[in-house]
Amino acid sequence: MAPPTIRRAVEADFGDLWPIFQAVVATGTTYVFAADTPEADAFAYWFGPGVHTWVAEVEGRIVGMYKIVANQRDRGAHVANASFMVAPEGAGRGIGRAMGEDCLRQARALGFHAMQFNFVVSTNRPAVDLWLSLGFRIVGTLPGAFLHDSQGYVDAYVMFRTLNDIPATE
């Protein structure tokens, strides 16, 4: 698989994002969404007000997506929050890393000073390891906060990093 190209998403991309969303949440292992989440709810999650969304493409096909939002309002709005999904067939092929690196640059360009993930499922080792390698720290553990489809209640992590070392671009 060729390295992904990352570009800003447009609402018309949702037709390609929806099957990825469905496949990821159907596993019951990484996201809090139910497998039967309505399409309109998924659309609002990726394209609602204040949401900045990007897609990763390989050979013209969308294989992943991420979004950036303010983690909190007003006095907490300088901290970004992000969500990522990679198509199952793209797992382990560097798509998540490419999107993670791009996300840090984009968050800085949007004026954020830090990024926080509020709910990284502890058993999702590829994600935890990726975020640690990109400079995030586990700053909190939420005991038994996620109901994993096969492992029952597992911990979720709060992960954080500043963006001071990310060059500011346009």
Side-chain angles (χ1 to χ4, degrees):
M1 183 179 276
T5 302
I6 299 173
R7 66 168 173 80
R8 192 71 181 254
V10 295
E11 289 184 4
D13 290 324
F14 185 72
D16 293 321
L17 275 62
W18 175 235
I20 296 170
F21 179 93
Q22 289 178 298
V24 170
V25 302
T27 68
T29 60
T30 60
Y31 263 85
V32 298
F33 292 100
D36 62 353
T37 296
E39 187 173 354
D41 290 358
F43 181 86
Y45 184 75
W46 291 101
F47 291 101
V51 178
H52 306 275
T53 303
W54 285 263
V55 294
E57 294 179 315
V58 173
E59 298 171 358
R61 186 168 160 261
I62 293 176
V63 294
M65 63 268 207
Y66 77 86
K67 72 172 200 165
I68 300 173
V69 297
N71 193 52
Q72 298 292 330
R73 57 182 291 148
D74 302 332
R75 294 187 180 273
H78 61 285
V79 178
N81 178 269
S83 297
F84 297 78
M85 287 188 177
V86 174
E89 66 272 13
R93 298 187 175 181
I95 295 165
R97 176 169 294 282
M99 289 193 304
E101 291 170 350
D102 189 70
C103 178
L104 295 173
R105 290 188 298 271
Q106 296 295 345
R108 178 68 180 200
L110 288 167
F112 291 103
H113 295 254
M115 182 170 286
Q116 178 173 316
F117 298 142
N118 299 321
F119 205 89
V120 180
V121 177
S122 64
T123 55
N124 185 358
R125 288 312 310 178
V128 172
D129 292 345
L130 173 60
W131 305 136
L132 290 171
S133 77
L134 290 177
F136 286 83
R137 292 179 298 117
I138 296 171
V139 296
T141 300
L142 309 171
F146 181 75
L147 179 55
H148 191 283
D149 193 52
S150 62
Q151 297 182 36
Y153 296 104
V154 299
D155 297 346
Y157 297 136
V158 177
M159 301 183 78
F160 184 88
R161 87 176 312 279
T162 65
L163 299 176
N164 300 347
D165 61 326
I166 306 297
T169 60
E170 83 269 354

